[in-house]
Amino acid sequence: MEYNFREIEKKWQDDWTQKGVYHVNNNSPKPKYYVLDMFPYPSGAGLHVGHPLGYIASDIFARYKRLKGFNVLHPMGYDAFGLPAEQYAIEHGIHPAVSTDQNIKNFRAQLDKIGFCFDWGREVKTSDQKYYKWTQWIFLQLFNSFYNRLTQKAESITRLIGIFEKEGNANHPIPNSSFTVRDARFTCHDWKSFNEKTRQDILMEYRLAYCGYGEVNWCEALGTVLANDEVINGVSERGGYPVVKKKLRQWYLRITEYADRLLEGLERIEFSEAMKEMQTNWIGKSFGAEIDFEVKSQEPGVGSLRVYTTRPDTIFGVDFMVIAPEHELIQKITSTEQKKPVEDYITYVKSRSDRERQAEKKITGCFTGAYAINPFDQREIPIWISEYVLAGYGTGAIMAVPCGDERDFKFAKHFNISITNIIGKHYNDEEANPTKDAVLENSGFLNGIVMRDAMELVIGKLEELGIGKRKVNYKMRDAAFSRQRYWGEPFPIVWKDGIAYPLDEKELPLVLPEVEKYGPGPDGEGPLANLKDWANPIDLPPALAGGQRETNTMPGYAGSSWYFLRYMDPHNENEFCSRKASDYWAQVDLYIGGTEHAVGHLLYSRMWTKALYDLGFIGHDEPYKKLVNQGMITGVSEFIYRYNPSENIGTVHMANEIPYKKIDISSLLSKEKNIAAIMAQGLFPEIYFSHDAIPKGEVINFSPLHVNIKYVDANKLDVEEMALKESKFHKACFVCNDGFYLNGKWYNNELKENSKLIFTTTSAGEKMSKSKLNTQNPNELCDKYGADTFRMYEMFLGPVEQSKPWDTKGIEGVHRFLKKLWRLFFDELKGKVWNEEKANDAELKVLHKTIKKIEEDTERFSFNTGVSAFMIAVNELSDLKCHKKEVLEKLLIILTPYAPHISEELWHQLGNEGTILDAAFPKPEEKYLVESSKNYPVAINGKTRAELNIALDATQQQVEEIILANETVKKWLEGKSPKKIIYVKNKMINVVI
RNA sequence: GCGGGUGUGGCGAAAUUGGCAGACGCAUCAGACUUAGGAUCUGACGCCGCAAGGUAUGUAGGUUCGACUCCUAUCACCCGCACCA
């Protein structure tokens, strides 16, 4: 009886499905544990070996927790709305729902092969109306809420209306993220006098999901707006198309109101430092002051210039002001003689795209002809315009302190502006010094004060004079929430007379209608705007008659911002998730996924959770307790070398562009007469060389060519297979270092069979891609070695959190281990070899040591050393010829999370009923554990072996005598006798008690 | 430029608290069994050296009886952010 993994895995997968062993109940006396994977976007390419890495890790942990007696929720679903399906629809005319469903089927088949313990009864699909009904519902909750800064939480907008009616907005100023109104104040009387439109416009300034005009990232190629995190280096994340700034009416999420709580929450959750850092940077909180400077310009009475600075202490070092080219004050303050240069400069800036600005950081600028007055020493400070000041951050204007800021310094040097030194010897006129520890000089009333302490003083003074105030600033902007696309959730909003009216909850879901074409609608609207009947519905409630539907759709991150809640109560038709269910499952205990969502999904879902918590729908305000980022599995390309006698290629270049080898083909051909002869006959179009067959010589004519890695196994290319399957190689000749392959035969001195071409491997650590032929489909590996081998091998590759190149070379070793395990139970000839004899101490030691090790490794996510521990255990049990049920049974239980199929099979072979999934994880028995013999270091007065007169050929006994006679050792032992004495490297002596 | 991370054999990697560096696996080599081996088993395997021994965790220092581990400096690579005042 041999290890027939195909049969076993099929059998148990069917059995588990049929018996519903992965069904999870919301009512259980057991403690709960929630293990979540980032659900995949079902792309057409299917899964590759990188995907399952995280899934396997989470699956192992989920199964482990189950053995440990937890009620484990481990669901899976699909992030099904998104751009690629729509692009595919545009190109091929296939409805995104159709292609998405096909892809999901494909994903599901692949996932099932690997044997995950997902409760598929809880599957969610964000494009399903039963799901997005609740995405729309949550949107309405956000729309109907505002952030109360006094209570620091989201509250109902009706409450805000009540406040306005009573006291106006004195205590609730308009959030500064507003795009249309700034600092507008009104009283309760004003409010009462406002008409409906005005009131709604004002409320829109407060809503957590709101619509406003603003500069957005417009991607022409994709025909839509993108969120900041979807734009990378001025091009779109998806597709790499150019992105420009455009003013458009857009929906936003007022995530900026949550900035502080998003920061504070990071302290309570287990994310990696890198991840926390990324989110912290993205939020970009800084403390400083806003200062108003009186402006002195040709035209008097233009008011003041407001700047934001984190260094108010440097106010006496201000040598010039810089305002953004978009700053509204420019028109007013520019002097007549500077008008032309300023206009020219602004034209120049407009001609530069964001990309250009970021790529080449030139020092550019233009003087306005106006001056600002330093409030403390009345100095006149020239006001400049420069593109290095961003309109969108702070007030779009800065006070430049060249002695303390590098950019200001370079600007001053470039334009020859004289620099005031306020930090004495800390400044050397060669570069700026941003220190906070200098004692201030040339600083009026601040002279002699350390900068760090001066900050408070200045802010106090500014506030006292009424020309400035303390100010906290954030880099984070509100998140753009609408897309001019088809394949997303429609907004449950109807516009009438310029007012956005939410649909009644009873009308949800607002179903995504069918469209004929997926192309953009008129005026930057989405495809839905082409549907006149849908966009101008006739069946609206009387009050909204004549209204139009919002034709934008929600972005991809809408559905993924709350899916972890839906898994808890996936079939609830009355609520997005019952409070009972969310209270039971609460936070995700373990969330596994890639780092690519650091500032997107992970931030948005945290915000949604906080809003839902504030509004009382759930009882926790951080969605994830612990996040583990799995590393990327990168590809490894394999090459052969094409000989191009007709083209003079020059030096052979490897993918990394380093000249690799120079070869003289002619010398080779004169030597290998057969090849030359065959070449001369022109029987084949091309010759390919293995790496080591390329002769070392002078010249050229070889170019590296990617070969599909599926033909490569353990560094060897299966040439025959490849020549058979790939039509372009049908007539090719493959030259190997000891012969060549042509037309189905090997030629050499003798006919060789099963010969393999030896290969070189290069370019590890690159992204997997179709063009490099380096993608690996997990299905093929599962077919070849079985799911258990595949699972264990992926874990064995290295730490889960580390990126690593994919390489199948080692998979044989893991497969061997499983076969060896099998042989502890069954012998090929003798059949059953396991027995019910009593285990001896040596065997129990192996068992309990392994239990302890697996427990520790699994708990700390060290699955690679866990797999090693199993290998060691099986090796040792084989050596001990231990086939005892007493030992093997427990070994199977702890192996279950790693290799569930073989464990289940053997467990049944041992005569057990039910499923091993519900077995209890055994406790390691202390008495069998190798006593944790602590090595106590004894430095014998720092003396080495030689100094203690221990001869090199001294026997163990002689050594011990000498050591035990030593005063230091005697003292330390306190009369006890040591277990063991160990030398280390002649120098140190360990005494073990 | 700023922030985070990683450097250990031919390769993937272990070393959990500062205690015999390289576990486990791959590849390679030698051998056994076999009609056969792409099955299985045994042994060797960082580097130098016939050996004894020496030497070795990116580099240079430091702390320590003892350092892959802690400290200082430095180099290389990877990831993230990037004119954020």
Side-chain angles (χ1 to χ4, degrees):
Chain A
M1 206 172 150
E2 64 173 359
Y3 174 38
N4 186 337
F5 53 85
R6 285 190 195 90
E7 208 172 87
I8 292 168
E9 289 174 2
K10 176 91 178 52
K11 172 173 146 196
W12 288 111
Q13 282 171 9
D14 291 349
D15 186 80
W16 291 328
T17 310
Q18 195 203 325
K19 292 191 180 135
V21 294
Y22 297 141
H23 175 74
V24 183
N25 204 311
N26 278 8
N27 298 305
S28 167
K30 295 178 186 171
K32 70 94 189 181
Y33 199 88
Y34 188 177
V35 182
L36 182 66
D37 293 291
M38 288 186 187
F39 63 168
Y41 174 80
S43 80
L47 288 179
H48 59 69
V49 289
H51 279 109
L53 182 74
Y55 302 158
I56 294 169
S58 65
D59 195 68
I60 289 175
F61 206 75
R63 287 170 183 273
Y64 168 77
K65 278 287 175 186
R66 182 169 175 170
L67 293 176
K68 280 280 190 178
F70 287 83
N71 186 30
V72 180
L73 178 57
H74 187 215
M76 182 47 84
Y78 304 98
D79 188 12
F81 274 135
L83 277 174
E86 189 163 345
Q87 287 296 99
Y88 191 80
I90 292 169
E91 285 158 28
H92 299 91
I94 292 169
H95 195 283
V98 174
S99 60
T100 303
D101 277 348
Q102 278 169 359
N103 294 344
I104 286 177
K105 268 206 191 93
N106 184 24
F107 266 61
R108 177 65 192 272
Q110 287 185 298
L111 290 171
D112 281 347
K113 277 221 144 174
I114 303 169
F116 292 121
C117 64
F118 298 126
D119 179 357
W120 286 107
R122 292 174 184 255
E123 175 183 327
V124 302
K125 193 171 84 175
T126 54
S127 61
D128 187 339
Q129 350 177 331
K130 285 185 189 149
Y131 181 88
Y132 70 69
K133 169 183 178 177
W134 297 108
T135 308
Q136 292 172 333
W137 182 86
I138 295 172
F139 166 80
L140 289 182
Q141 308 312 307
L142 295 172
F143 178 79
N144 286 321
S145 308
F146 78 110
Y147 195 81
N148 187 335
R149 291 188 176 183
L150 300 180
T151 56
Q152 281 290 305
K153 64 188 190 105
E155 290 174 14
S156 163
I157 200 89
T158 52
R159 197 180 132 79
L160 185 67
I161 296 171
I163 292 169
F164 288 167
E165 282 169 351
K166 259 202 252 155
E167 54 184 51
N169 75 343
N171 293 317
H172 295 278
I174 291 172
N176 61 358
S177 54
S178 158
F179 288 93
T180 49
V181 191
R182 274 177 195 257
D183 289 354
R185 296 297 169 104
F186 55 84
T187 64
C188 57
H189 305 293
D190 296 335
W191 177 257
K192 279 169 194 146
S193 71
F194 292 152
N195 63 22
E196 179 63 10
K197 171 82 166 77
T198 310
R199 287 183 184 182
Q200 288 299 333
D201 283 349
I202 291 168
L203 290 175
M204 197 60 108
E205 298 292 331
Y206 290 86
R207 296 180 189 272
L208 285 181
Y210 66 95
C211 191
Y213 278 88
E215 288 233 313
V216 293
N217 303 302
W218 175 258
C219 180
E220 189 61 46
L222 295 173
T224 190
V225 156
L226 299 171
N228 287 344
D229 65 277
E230 292 169 319
V231 181
I232 291 162
N233 293 332
V235 298
S236 66
E237 183 187 17
R238 286 246 158 92
Y241 302 111
V243 173
V244 294
K245 292 273 181 220
K246 203 171 175 179
K247 277 220 165 184
L248 276 179
R249 185 184 60 78
Q250 289 299 325
W251 286 90
Y252 293 90
L253 291 183
R254 208 176 292 284
I255 193 170
T256 47
E257 289 293 290
Y258 278 95
D260 273 330
R261 281 175 61 192
L262 287 169
L263 280 176
E264 175 271 330
L266 286 177
E267 291 164 20
R268 290 182 280 123
I269 51 183
E270 290 176 60
F271 283 23
S272 68
E273 282 309 309
M275 188 59 59
K276 288 184 181 178
E277 195 64 33
M278 271 188 244
Q279 295 210 346
T280 307
N281 281 345
W282 186 262
I283 296 167
K285 186 177 188 176
S286 63
F287 300 89
E290 270 183 7
I291 307 174
D292 293 331
F293 287 79
E294 201 63 39
V295 176
K296 186 187 160 201
S297 60
Q298 237 171 23
E299 199 176 318
V302 291
S304 58
L305 175 65
R306 176 170 292 183
V307 303
Y308 174 72
T309 179
T310 53
R311 297 297 301 271
D313 53 309
T314 61
I315 190 150
F316 287 94
V318 179
D319 291 315
F320 54 100
M321 297 289 188
V322 188
I323 60 180
E326 297 86 354
H327 202 282
E328 52 192 14
L329 222 50
I330 291 175
Q331 294 304 323
K332 292 192 205 161
I333 63 171
T334 306
S335 65
T336 340
E337 56 270 29
Q338 287 301 105
K339 210 154 199 93
K340 180 79 174 71
V342 165
E343 272 168 16
D344 288 350
Y345 182 68
I346 289 171
T347 312
Y348 158 77
V349 170
K350 279 193 178 146
S351 75
R352 271 160 66 84
S353 67
D354 272 14
R355 272 191 96 176
E356 282 171 327
R357 270 205 199 187
Q358 283 170 14
E360 29 158 340
K361 287 173 188 167
K362 285 197 268 184
I363 301 171
T364 65
C366 184
F367 179 47
T368 59
Y371 295 86
I373 307 299
N374 189 320
F376 295 121
D377 60 9
Q378 313 308 318
R379 232 178 356 141
E380 287 190 1
I381 311 163
I383 301 174
W384 287 68
I385 306 169
S386 178
E387 59 180 330
Y388 84 87
V389 171
L390 307 176
Y393 182 77
T395 60
I398 63 157
M399 53 179 235
V401 183
C403 76
D405 183 285
E406 196 54 40
R407 290 155 309 171
D408 298 345
F409 177 83
K410 284 184 180 150
F411 193 87
K413 285 285 176 197
H414 189 263
F415 289 105
N416 243 330
I417 302 169
S418 69
I419 297 171
T420 310
N421 180 13
I422 54 168
I423 51 177
K425 62 180 188 314
H426 289 89
Y427 173 70
N428 59 7
D429 203 37
E430 271 162 32
E431 57 178 357
N433 185 349
T435 179
K436 286 180 184 169
D437 300 316
V439 175
L440 286 160
E441 297 175 17
N442 295 328
S443 291
F445 70 96
L446 296 173
N447 278 335
I449 297 168
V450 176
M451 300 176 99
R452 216 174 274 284
D453 305 327
M455 293 200 203
E456 282 302 308
L457 234 69
V458 174
I459 294 174
K461 196 93 174 177
L462 288 168
E463 285 180 338
E464 200 183 302
L465 295 170
I467 52 166
K469 59 171 193 264
R470 185 182 313 278
K471 176 82 183 173
V472 173
N473 236 316
Y474 301 93
K475 274 199 258 183
M476 183 167 67
R477 311 281 82 182
D478 281 342
F481 193 67
S482 45
R483 299 290 182 269
Q484 293 65 45
R485 300 297 291 206
Y486 170 70
W487 192 231
E489 301 87 347
F491 282 83
I493 291 287
V494 171
W495 289 93
K496 194 188 172 188
D497 304 327
I499 298 170
Y501 293 96
L503 287 190
D504 191 277
E505 284 178 24
K506 288 194 289 289
E507 295 180 58
L508 299 181
L510 173 60
V511 177
L512 182 65
E514 297 292 321
V515 289
E516 304 244 314
K517 64 188 195 72
Y518 301 98
D523 306 325
E525 295 277 320
L528 293 181
N530 292 327
L531 298 174
K532 296 278 175 290
D533 292 349
W534 184 83
N536 304 286
I538 46 169
D539 54 346
L540 288 171
L544 295 181
Q548 284 134 23
R549 290 198 195 282
E550 171 63 61
T551 57
N552 284 338
T553 54
M554 298 186 200
Y557 66 81
S560 62
S561 288
W562 71 283
Y563 75 111
F564 42 89
L565 293 168
R566 189 61 181 172
Y567 284 136
M568 299 171 179
D569 196 6
H571 307 296
N572 193 332
E573 303 214 334
N574 304 312
E575 291 167 278
F576 72 102
C577 172
S578 75
R579 184 65 200 257
K580 198 176 162 224
S582 62
D583 279 349
Y584 176 69
W585 291 109
Q587 280 178 298
V588 173
D589 293 283
L590 176 66
Y591 195 27
I592 299 191
T595 48
E596 66 271 23
H597 299 108
V599 290
H601 161 64
L602 285 171
L603 219 43
Y604 300 129
S605 55
R606 288 183 61 216
M607 178 211 160
W608 283 44
T609 302
K610 285 176 190 299
L612 289 170
Y613 168 79
D614 290 350
L615 298 171
F617 295 114
I618 54 174
H620 55 278
D621 85 331
E622 280 291 341
Y624 323 111
K625 196 183 257 175
K626 180 185 169 91
L627 172 74
V628 171
N629 297 115
Q630 96 250 23
M632 246 201 333
I633 291 201
T634 50
V636 175
S637 287
E638 304 278 352
F639 299 93
I640 53 176
Y641 298 84
R642 183 170 55 200
Y643 172 58
N644 308 284
S646 51
E647 315 159 29
N648 195 335
I649 298 270
T651 312
V652 175
H653 280 65
M654 302 300 284
N656 56 7
E657 294 300 321
I658 295 166
Y660 195 69
K661 241 171 204 174
K662 291 180 174 178
I663 316 119
D664 182 0
I665 184 70
S666 59
S667 72
L668 171 85
L669 293 179
S670 59
K671 219 165 52 192
E672 300 279 347
K673 293 211 174 68
N674 286 336
I675 295 167
I678 290 164
M679 277 183 69
Q681 291 165 30
L683 288 174
F684 46 87
E686 280 167 333
I687 317 179
Y688 297 94
F689 281 71
S690 78
H691 175 255
D692 52 356
I694 297 175
K696 297 180 174 53
E698 292 305 309
V699 198
I700 38 182
N701 284 354
F702 285 87
S703 55
L705 181 82
H706 284 275
V707 292
N708 195 317
I709 55 158
K710 72 178 171 189
Y711 302 117
V712 180
D713 183 18
N715 237 359
K716 293 191 174 86
L717 176 73
D718 192 338
V719 185
E720 291 152 65
E721 183 80 2
M722 188 170 80
L724 201 70
K725 295 253 173 85
E726 308 272 328
S727 57
K728 67 172 177 175
F729 292 127
H730 278 350
K731 300 190 90 179
C733 171
F734 297 89
V735 180
C736 181
N737 59 347
D738 56 352
F740 60 96
Y741 178 86
L742 177 69
N743 292 344
K745 278 181 188 156
W746 282 97
Y747 296 92
N748 202 340
N749 300 330
E750 52 191 300
L751 186 73
K752 297 177 14 161
E753 278 175 30
N754 290 321
S755 184
K756 307 250 165 132
L757 198 48
I758 309 295
F759 257 67
T760 183
T761 303
T762 43
S763 310
E766 59 195 15
K767 276 204 172 156
M768 292 198 179
S769 75
K770 275 188 181 165
S771 66
K772 289 173 185 158
L773 303 173
N774 64 354
T775 55
Q776 183 95 46
N777 183 339
N779 271 18
E780 291 168 12
L781 290 165
C782 284
D783 286 342
K784 196 165 173 194
Y785 298 102
D788 286 337
T789 301
F790 177 69
R791 290 166 61 105
M792 291 194 87
Y793 181 59
E794 282 232 0
M795 293 300 102
F796 186 67
L797 273 177
V800 179
E801 288 170 272
Q802 192 174 303
S803 281
K804 55 219 155 209
W806 175 257
D807 190 349
T808 16
K809 279 179 199 144
I811 199 166
E812 294 278 354
V814 175
H815 193 57
R816 251 170 240 156
F817 150 75
L818 288 174
K819 287 194 281 191
K820 201 164 180 176
L821 172 75
W822 185 266
R823 286 199 301 274
L824 289 176
F825 295 77
F826 296 102
D827 187 284
E828 226 171 295
L829 302 171
K830 287 182 270 178
K832 166 180 173 283
V833 288
W834 64 270
N835 57 55
E836 309 208 25
E837 287 167 25
K838 193 145 171 40
N840 61 35
D841 274 9
E843 293 159 347
L844 289 170
K845 266 184 185 169
V846 173
L847 174 68
H848 289 283
K849 180 183 77 182
T850 308
I851 294 172
K852 183 146 192 276
K853 176 87 174 129
I854 294 302
E855 191 172 25
E856 285 169 358
D857 285 349
T858 310
E859 287 284 353
R860 70 187 174 104
F861 269 73
S862 184
F863 300 122
N864 54 331
T865 52
V867 174
S868 294
F870 283 119
M871 291 179 170
I872 295 167
V874 167
N875 283 344
E876 288 177 354
L877 291 177
S878 295
D879 289 348
L880 291 169
K881 299 203 169 30
C882 170
H883 302 286
K884 294 168 185 166
K885 178 178 173 180
E886 186 186 344
V887 172
L888 298 178
E889 200 170 65
K890 291 208 170 108
L891 191 69
L892 289 178
I893 297 172
I894 61 172
L895 181 66
T896 307
Y898 291 78
H901 308 87
I902 192 175
S903 307
E904 184 80 286
E905 171 67 19
L906 290 171
W907 161 267
H908 281 261
Q909 293 287 351
L910 290 181
N912 290 292
E913 298 288 327
T915 170
I916 195 170
L917 300 169
D918 288 326
F921 196 92
K923 281 203 171 62
E925 286 179 34
E926 285 297 328
K927 64 173 170 173
Y928 294 116
L929 295 175
V930 184
E931 283 160 51
S932 52
S933 57
K934 178 138 179 148
N935 286 350
Y936 286 90
V938 177
I940 305 180
N941 302 333
K943 283 179 187 155
T944 65
R945 176 179 196 154
E947 287 166 323
L948 286 166
N949 295 320
I950 300 174
L952 285 176
D953 58 354
T955 64
Q956 179 75 14
Q957 182 139 27
Q958 289 168 325
V959 172
E960 283 179 18
E961 277 167 20
I962 295 169
I963 289 169
L964 291 177
N966 185 287
E967 286 306 313
T968 316
V969 177
K970 269 191 199 160
K971 202 166 138 197
W972 179 75
L973 281 169
E974 290 171 354
K976 287 173 281 188
S977 60
K979 270 213 176 103
K980 207 159 128 198
I981 295 172
I982 310 167
Y983 302 106
V984 183
K985 299 274 175 195
N986 260 3
K987 284 180 187 158
M988 184 200 110
I989 292 137
N990 278 349
V991 180
V992 183
I993 54 161

